[in-house]
Amino acid sequence: MSNVNATAGATATASTQDKTGKAVSSAVDKTLNQEDFLHLLTTELSNQNPLEPMDNKDFIAQLAQFSTLEQMNNSVATLKNLNTNMISFFQQSLLTQGAALIGKQVSGMDAKGGTVSGIVDSVQWLDGNPQLKLLQGDGTFKTLEMNQITDVTEPVSNKSPNTPTLY
């Protein structure tokens, strides 16, 4: 009879593990924090053999390991924050570079390998990249990504060289 109960318990455990795979993976992802460590430490101290207490060196070693682990976790959080800030800075930098091209004659290769050229009318942010909106000679617009630019020049104007430019 005990074999039947043990087998049923094992089957129930296996099916529970199959159905709760997410619960198991989330439990694995959970990390111990300072409160968990202190709870484990007090439990260990209260359950130790009074005739053979924990050695001070072991106690200090555990505290040092936990302190090191906590500092590593803080470093990881700081690096993630730095990475987020650097990505944001990089995106703003690309947008600023694109804005500096407004009014310039730009040429480049589009995704299909064809040549695209025109005067940059505006810059828009699409799919994580700044895209230049180019005014073509026929009045239509095409887009070009910043990494597709091959040439940037001042636009050709119909003014004679002696005509002063008014700003």
Short mmCIF file of all heavy atoms in Angstrom, two decimals, residues 18 29 39 43 60 77 89 105 121 124 126 134 148:
data_model
loop_
_atom_site.label_atom_id
_atom_site.label_comp_id
_atom_site.label_asym_id
_atom_site.label_seq_id
_atom_site.Cartn_x
_atom_site.Cartn_y
_atom_site.Cartn_z
N ASP A 18 5.56 19.30 -14.68
CA ASP A 18 5.32 19.56 -16.09
C ASP A 18 4.40 20.75 -16.27
O ASP A 18 4.61 21.58 -17.13
CB ASP A 18 4.70 18.33 -16.77
CG ASP A 18 5.70 17.18 -16.88
OD1 ASP A 18 6.91 17.45 -16.77
OD2 ASP A 18 5.25 16.04 -17.06
N ASP A 29 15.12 31.64 -10.92
CA ASP A 29 15.55 33.00 -11.23
C ASP A 29 15.63 33.88 -9.98
O ASP A 29 16.34 34.87 -9.96
CB ASP A 29 14.60 33.66 -12.23
CG ASP A 29 14.76 33.06 -13.61
OD1 ASP A 29 15.80 32.44 -13.87
OD2 ASP A 29 13.83 33.21 -14.42
N HIS A 39 18.13 35.49 7.56
CA HIS A 39 17.21 34.45 8.04
C HIS A 39 17.91 33.09 8.06
O HIS A 39 17.80 32.34 9.05
CB HIS A 39 15.95 34.40 7.16
CG HIS A 39 14.97 33.37 7.59
ND1 HIS A 39 14.22 33.48 8.73
CD2 HIS A 39 14.61 32.18 7.03
CE1 HIS A 39 13.45 32.42 8.87
NE2 HIS A 39 13.68 31.61 7.84
N THR A 43 18.86 30.93 11.45
CA THR A 43 18.39 29.54 11.54
C THR A 43 19.57 28.61 11.79
O THR A 43 19.51 27.70 12.62
CB THR A 43 17.64 29.14 10.26
OG1 THR A 43 16.56 30.03 10.06
CG2 THR A 43 17.13 27.72 10.35
N ILE A 60 32.69 34.57 9.50
CA ILE A 60 33.24 35.73 8.79
C ILE A 60 33.35 35.44 7.30
O ILE A 60 33.07 36.31 6.46
CB ILE A 60 34.60 36.13 9.40
CG1 ILE A 60 34.39 36.69 10.80
CG2 ILE A 60 35.33 37.13 8.52
CD1 ILE A 60 35.66 36.92 11.59
N ALA A 77 23.54 45.91 -11.65
CA ALA A 77 22.46 46.89 -11.79
C ALA A 77 22.99 48.22 -12.32
O ALA A 77 22.37 48.85 -13.18
CB ALA A 77 21.76 47.09 -10.45
N PHE A 89 21.83 57.91 -25.27
CA PHE A 89 22.76 58.93 -25.74
C PHE A 89 23.13 58.70 -27.20
O PHE A 89 23.16 59.64 -28.01
CB PHE A 89 24.02 58.93 -24.87
CG PHE A 89 25.07 59.89 -25.34
CD1 PHE A 89 24.92 61.25 -25.18
CD2 PHE A 89 26.22 59.42 -25.96
CE1 PHE A 89 25.89 62.13 -25.63
CE2 PHE A 89 27.20 60.29 -26.41
CZ PHE A 89 27.03 61.65 -26.24
N GLN A 105 22.59 68.05 -49.72
CA GLN A 105 22.42 67.07 -50.79
C GLN A 105 23.06 65.77 -50.31
O GLN A 105 24.24 65.75 -49.96
CB GLN A 105 23.09 67.55 -52.08
CG GLN A 105 23.03 66.59 -53.23
CD GLN A 105 21.66 66.53 -53.90
OE1 GLN A 105 20.94 67.51 -53.91
NE2 GLN A 105 21.31 65.38 -54.43
N ASP A 121 15.05 66.73 -46.31
CA ASP A 121 13.93 67.58 -45.90
C ASP A 121 13.67 67.47 -44.41
O ASP A 121 13.38 68.45 -43.75
CB ASP A 121 12.68 67.17 -46.69
CG ASP A 121 11.49 68.02 -46.35
OD1 ASP A 121 11.53 69.23 -46.64
OD2 ASP A 121 10.51 67.47 -45.78
N GLN A 124 13.34 61.42 -39.42
CA GLN A 124 12.32 60.77 -38.62
C GLN A 124 12.91 59.52 -37.98
O GLN A 124 13.84 58.93 -38.51
CB GLN A 124 11.10 60.43 -39.46
CG GLN A 124 11.39 59.65 -40.71
CD GLN A 124 10.20 59.61 -41.65
OE1 GLN A 124 9.18 60.20 -41.38
NE2 GLN A 124 10.35 58.90 -42.75
N LEU A 126 12.47 55.79 -37.15
CA LEU A 126 11.71 54.60 -37.50
C LEU A 126 12.53 53.36 -37.20
O LEU A 126 13.71 53.29 -37.55
CB LEU A 126 11.35 54.59 -38.99
CG LEU A 126 10.34 55.61 -39.48
CD1 LEU A 126 10.25 55.58 -40.99
CD2 LEU A 126 8.98 55.33 -38.88
N LEU A 134 14.27 62.38 -48.07
CA LEU A 134 14.95 63.10 -49.15
C LEU A 134 13.96 63.61 -50.17
O LEU A 134 13.12 62.87 -50.68
CB LEU A 134 15.96 62.19 -49.85
CG LEU A 134 17.04 61.54 -48.99
CD1 LEU A 134 17.93 60.66 -49.85
CD2 LEU A 134 17.84 62.59 -48.28
N GLN A 148 23.31 54.23 -44.66
CA GLN A 148 23.34 54.01 -46.10
C GLN A 148 23.92 55.20 -46.87
O GLN A 148 24.04 55.16 -48.09
CB GLN A 148 21.92 53.73 -46.62
CG GLN A 148 21.32 52.45 -46.04
CD GLN A 148 19.85 52.31 -46.38
OE1 GLN A 148 19.11 53.29 -46.45
NE2 GLN A 148 19.42 51.07 -46.60
#
